[in-house]
Amino acid sequence: MDVSLARALSRLPDDHDTLAVVRDVLTFMSHHTDEWIPAADIAQRTGNLMLQVRPVLNTLRDAFVLDFDDAPEAFRYRYDVGVSIEVDAFLNRSRAHENHMQTNVARFRERYGAS
């Protein structure tokens, strides 16, 4: 049985846009622990398209990172120590990477202009 965030991430494309959606979904869901939230609300409240959010939610569900209820197609994040450690580590790495990229862009603009 595949039960972990790492396994879920290994099943998703490793591109910036997908990882940004994963980060948005995990951040949102971890702030709403134990709440059943419809998929459409997750997409809307994270500011992502349903087309982007659905594969992420389904993969997180398949890896048992999120719980799923068929009617009304809602997802829930229940606190689990192991998953929480993985989520926190992923979010910290992701934020550090974003900060690094923003710093590099700022340095480039500083040196070569913003054209």
Side-chain angles (χ1 to χ4, degrees):
M1 182 182 296
D2 290 338
V3 182
S4 76
L5 178 58
R7 289 188 181 109
L9 292 172
S10 73
R11 294 179 174 170
L12 290 167
D14 189 21
D15 61 75
H16 179 267
D17 293 339
T18 301
L19 294 177
V21 173
V22 172
R23 184 181 62 240
D24 293 347
V25 167
L26 290 175
T27 300
F28 176 74
M29 295 302 288
S30 67
H31 286 103
H32 296 276
T33 303
D34 291 327
E35 292 180 42
W36 287 104
I37 304 172
D41 288 358
I42 295 169
Q44 179 184 17
R45 293 175 72 181
T46 59
N48 295 293
L49 299 172
M50 190 62 165
L51 181 67
Q52 298 168 304
V53 171
R54 184 171 303 285
V56 169
L57 290 173
N58 290 339
T59 302
L60 293 173
R61 174 203 64 207
D62 292 345
F64 299 98
V65 174
L66 298 178
D67 293 338
F68 177 72
D69 187 17
D70 282 333
E73 192 185 20
F75 293 84
R76 169 177 71 173
Y77 174 74
R78 289 187 359 172
Y79 180 80
D80 174 89
V81 173
V83 173
S84 178
I85 290 169
E86 281 189 298
V87 168
D88 290 344
F90 170 78
L91 293 176
N92 288 335
R93 274 192 322 270
S94 181
R95 287 185 193 114
H97 178 72
E98 283 295 314
N99 289 340
H100 178 73
M101 295 300 290
Q102 288 175 354
T103 300
N104 284 347
V105 169
R107 285 182 189 156
F108 179 85
R109 287 183 176 158
E110 206 173 85
R111 288 183 188 149
Y112 304 106
S115 16

